[in-house]
Amino acid sequence: MKLGRLNHIGVVTPSIPDSIDHWRDVMGATSICEPFDLPAQGVKVCFVDTPADGPTNGTQIELIEPLGEDSPIHGFLAKNPLGGQHHICFEVPDIHSAKSEFEAMGKRVLGEPRIGAHGTLIFFVHPKDMGGMLTEIMETPKDH
Ligand SMILES: CC[C@@H](C(=O)O)C(=O)SCCNC(=O)CCNC(=O)[C@H](O)C(C)(C)COP(=O)(O)OP(=O)(O)OC[C@H]1O[C@@H](n2cnc3c(N)ncnc32)[C@H](O)[C@@H]1OP(=O)(O)O
Ligand SMILES: [Co+2]
């Protein structure tokens, strides 16, 4: 595996509107998108963009709130009622090669690649195989 660009940090929240207030008023975020639903992933999403000329070079905070009974983040929120840092996401040039590489290293890939919030294929690797961090792998969007 060749480490690619850090695309986003996933942050679980019990309330996207409350989190938007926090990121705008406390952290001074000026680029906050309109929240949208991703029923296939069981989450409501809102992107907070960090400045492209800042220390994180345009990395994104991805606010996620549970959507529906089967949301994969209900368990996390039950254990962490305030929400918190949930996953990190790195880009790769080819999602299927990346999946094969993780599997060859004995890492548990959670399900098949599917379309994520940025419109490209993603998969997750189990946190217990990744030093305690739930890791999302995402195919680089064509415009990057
Ligand atoms: C917005 C769309 C998309 C994008 O395009 O960016 C997304 O990011 S969607 C994000 C939400 N989707 C997912 O998280 C899908 C993948 N996740 C899962 O399949 C599950 O959440 C999980 C990782 C398998 C955990 O399942 P869960 O039922 O919540 O918990 P368990 O009790 O089975 O957990 C086992 C073990 O792992 C620890 N854990 C759970 N979540 C995390 C985490 N986020 N970071 C670190 N560790 C985590 C959990 O505490 C358990 O440990 P022990 O207590 O020691 O057993
Ligand atoms: Co994500």
Side-chain angles (χ1 to χ4, degrees):
M1 238 321 271
K2 185 169 177 293
L3 184 64
R5 179 179 176 272
L6 176 64
N7 181 279
H8 66 263
I9 296 169
V11 173
V12 167
T13 171
S15 163
I16 283 183
D18 289 352
S19 287
I20 288 175
D21 291 347
H22 170 79
W23 283 92
R24 188 191 56 234
D25 300 341
V26 179
M27 298 302 286
T30 54
S31 180
I32 303 177
C33 89
E34 198 58 37
F36 61 99
D37 291 354
L38 261 189
Q41 306 281 350
V43 290
K44 186 183 278 284
V45 189
C46 174
F47 296 136
V48 176
D49 289 316
T50 67
D53 59 350
T56 57
N57 200 21
T59 297
Q60 199 167 60
I61 306 298
E62 182 183 80
L63 301 174
I64 48 176
E65 186 188 307
L67 179 72
E69 298 290 307
D70 299 328
S71 175
I73 59 176
H74 279 308
F76 184 90
L77 210 42
K79 283 183 189 164
N80 307 278
L82 288 176
Q85 191 176 316
H86 177 257
H87 66 269
I88 50 174
C89 176
F90 295 98
E91 293 181 13
V92 294
D94 183 317
I95 199 81
H96 300 290
S97 303
K99 177 173 181 280
S100 301
E101 287 182 52
F102 277 108
E103 287 172 339
M105 289 185 280
K107 308 297 181 190
R108 280 168 288 176
V109 170
L110 299 163
E112 289 302 312
R114 53 197 181 276
I115 296 290
H118 300 77
T120 66
L121 288 166
I122 63 162
F123 63 79
F124 287 86
V125 190
H126 201 288
K128 295 291 183 194
D129 296 342
M130 298 297 283
M133 280 181 293
L134 177 59
T135 306
E136 179 181 348
I137 301 297
M138 158 185 168
E139 196 159 270
T140 305
K142 292 282 177 267
D143 56 359
H144 278 204

